Amino acid sequence: MRCKYVKLKLDRYIQGDLPDSVSKKIERHVSSCQGCADTLSRIRKLQGLFEDTSVPGVPEGFTERLMQYARHRQFQKASEPKIIRVWEWFDGAGLRKAAVAAGIIIGLSIGLLMGLQTSRQSYKTQVVASSALVDAYHFDYLTEAPENSISGVYIQMVSGESNFEE
Amino acid sequence: MSLTDEQLMIAVGKGDIASFEQIVIRYQQFAWRIAYRYTDNRSDAEEISQEAFVRVLDSAKNYRRRAKFSTYLYKILANLCLDHARKRNPQITDEFSGEKEFTETPYSNLQIKERDQAVRSAIDSLPNRQRLAVILRYYENLSYAQIADAMDSSIKAVERLLARARHELEHLLKDFS
């Protein structure tokens, strides 16, 4: 251990504020280093000078004056119109609430957008599928069949556009 | 069973003024002592300690149980003491020659009074942060971690701060040590 390090820790050593392992190392160092032993003795002497007991007691009526003021303040606060302070949302708990609310809103928005996108895509796929079917099997002659005729229903059934299951 | 400081603070946050009174009763002596030792002046000390409790009341709603209440109060007091020193001229008048009451002084020995006066003058002559660290360490016996918390500093910084303060005090008080 270096003397510079030990000298900085000596006051904490006296106070018992150091871990045991460090205290023991300091003890060993001080027992073999006259300079640090002198510093330790000087700190102890100086500490002896701080035994000052001459502090007057708390002034009379301290609590009463303070409580009177506190009650007055509480009353004033209660009678003030309620103001919503936005910055109070940004302390520890407020920030967490805001983050959770923002997360839910963002999640719902993404879900809604994805749902709309998927439904549009499946409509397009179905249209392509039915037109491809008509081209592939040369059902051109059936496309002009009247609505709800057997040919029309057949094309709808084959292309998957029908709602027979419902 | 009496409530802990932290439980009282939560009640104060909900507007319970009786819990606030309990906090004041528990800590008024402590707050007053630090403020008085720092300012060396009764009216300033009363102003600082009252203001500390008003701040406790005002911020009770936002009080979190992460830190011990005493640490929270040290921090408020430390800030108020340092603010006070910044606002005022650092040369503090010595009230000891006036008609001061020493309600807790068991000694009448003139030499001890002289020594105490010299110690107080020496402490008063230190820079603001050193003075506060000395009071918290040698009068209130706070650990280095508590002092660091109160002064928004690190333990190593407090070690250096107190080492400088001791060096200065040794020089100023060489006749007494």
Side-chain angles (χ1 to χ4, degrees):
Chain A
M1 272 185 155
R2 289 185 173 193
C3 292
K4 196 178 168 187
Y5 173 84
V6 172
K7 280 177 182 167
L8 271 181
K9 304 283 176 198
L10 282 175
D11 189 47
R12 290 179 70 193
Y13 166 75
I14 294 170
Q15 198 184 25
D17 190 33
L18 291 171
D20 281 352
S21 57
V22 181
S23 284
K24 278 176 188 159
K25 282 180 189 170
I26 286 178
E27 255 168 37
R28 277 201 297 274
H29 178 92
V30 170
S31 64
S32 61
C33 172
Q34 193 53 50
C36 288
D38 289 346
T39 308
L40 181 64
S41 149
R42 283 207 308 276
I43 294 174
R44 282 195 167 127
K45 272 185 192 164
L46 188 68
Q47 216 172 329
L49 296 177
F50 295 122
E51 287 164 3
D52 172 19
T53 50
S54 59
V55 174
V58 177
E60 213 168 301
F62 179 93
T63 316
E64 289 73 20
R65 281 194 292 280
L66 182 58
M67 290 313 297
Q68 198 177 358
Y69 180 74
R71 283 192 192 96
H72 174 68
R73 210 174 167 93
Q74 288 285 92
F75 176 74
Q76 267 187 332
K77 269 191 181 176
S79 56
E80 272 174 9
K82 182 90 178 161
I83 301 166
I84 297 167
R85 293 180 177 88
V86 177
W87 58 87
E88 282 180 2
W89 271 78
F90 295 98
D91 65 352
L95 195 64
R96 275 197 297 279
K97 281 180 202 162
V100 169
I104 291 170
I105 291 168
I106 291 169
L108 285 174
S109 308
I110 291 172
L112 192 67
L113 284 171
M114 284 175 74
L116 278 173
Q117 186 101 348
T118 314
S119 92
R120 277 187 196 151
Q121 272 180 352
S122 78
Y123 173 73
K124 278 181 191 168
T125 315
Q126 282 182 355
V127 170
V128 170
S130 70
S131 58
L133 195 73
V134 169
D135 289 344
Y137 295 100
H138 305 291
F139 285 164
D140 301 5
Y141 63 94
L142 290 177
T143 52
E144 285 177 13
E147 205 178 335
N148 294 331
S149 67
I150 293 174
S151 314
V153 171
Y154 177 69
I155 289 178
Q156 279 182 3
M157 193 179 74
V158 172
S159 64
E161 287 175 10
S162 64
N163 293 323
F164 289 113
E165 285 176 9
E166 292 170 8
Chain B
M1 200 177 81
S2 66
L3 296 174
T4 65
D5 298 339
E6 289 73 24
Q7 286 169 328
L8 285 174
M9 274 304 283
I10 288 164
V12 176
K14 290 174 184 165
D16 182 2
I17 208 83
S19 295
F20 177 67
E21 191 166 11
Q22 284 296 306
I23 291 269
V24 173
I25 291 166
R26 279 186 198 179
Y27 284 95
Q28 58 181 357
Q29 183 70 39
F30 159 81
W32 162 258
R33 224 170 37 223
I34 290 181
Y36 183 80
R37 282 197 162 119
Y38 192 80
T39 59
D40 203 4
N41 178 298
R42 284 179 80 98
S43 62
D44 286 350
E46 178 160 356
E47 197 183 308
I48 288 177
S49 38
Q50 295 247 356
E51 179 60 25
F53 285 112
V54 169
R55 287 197 186 182
V56 165
L57 179 66
D58 283 350
S59 59
K61 246 182 165 180
N62 303 320
Y63 174 76
R64 305 272 170 269
R65 265 205 245 197
R66 276 178 224 136
K68 271 179 76 181
F69 174 74
S70 54
T71 309
Y72 180 67
L73 188 59
Y74 295 145
K75 197 170 247 186
I76 294 175
L77 281 165
N79 284 333
L80 286 169
C81 286
L82 292 172
D83 280 351
H84 171 270
R86 267 181 230 120
K87 281 178 203 158
R88 300 244 165 162
N89 188 324
Q91 293 302 314
I92 293 166
T93 53
D94 185 3
E95 287 193 348
F96 276 74
S97 51
E99 304 163 353
K100 216 161 158 187
E101 281 177 77
F102 294 102
T103 50
E104 292 179 10
T105 306
Y107 310 108
S108 57
N109 188 315
L110 188 64
Q111 275 185 323
I112 292 173
K113 276 195 172 181
E114 272 179 14
R115 186 200 69 183
D116 286 351
Q117 190 173 334
V119 171
R120 198 171 281 260
S121 299
I123 292 172
D124 287 349
S125 72
L126 293 174
N128 298 335
R129 287 180 68 81
Q130 285 184 24
R131 181 153 44 113
L132 183 61
V134 165
I135 290 167
L136 295 178
R137 163 67 186 93
Y138 296 108
Y139 289 108
E140 296 303 322
N141 201 24
L142 260 60
S143 72
Y144 274 62
Q146 287 173 312
I147 298 171
D149 264 349
M151 296 181 72
D152 274 330
S153 191
S154 66
I155 292 178
K156 281 191 175 178
V158 174
E159 283 175 352
R160 286 192 292 270
L161 192 69
L162 279 170
R164 285 199 297 276
R166 280 194 304 270
H167 184 262
E168 187 61 27
L169 289 172
E170 273 178 23
H171 171 71
L172 292 168
L173 298 168
K174 58 181 181 288
D175 295 341
F176 296 90
S177 55

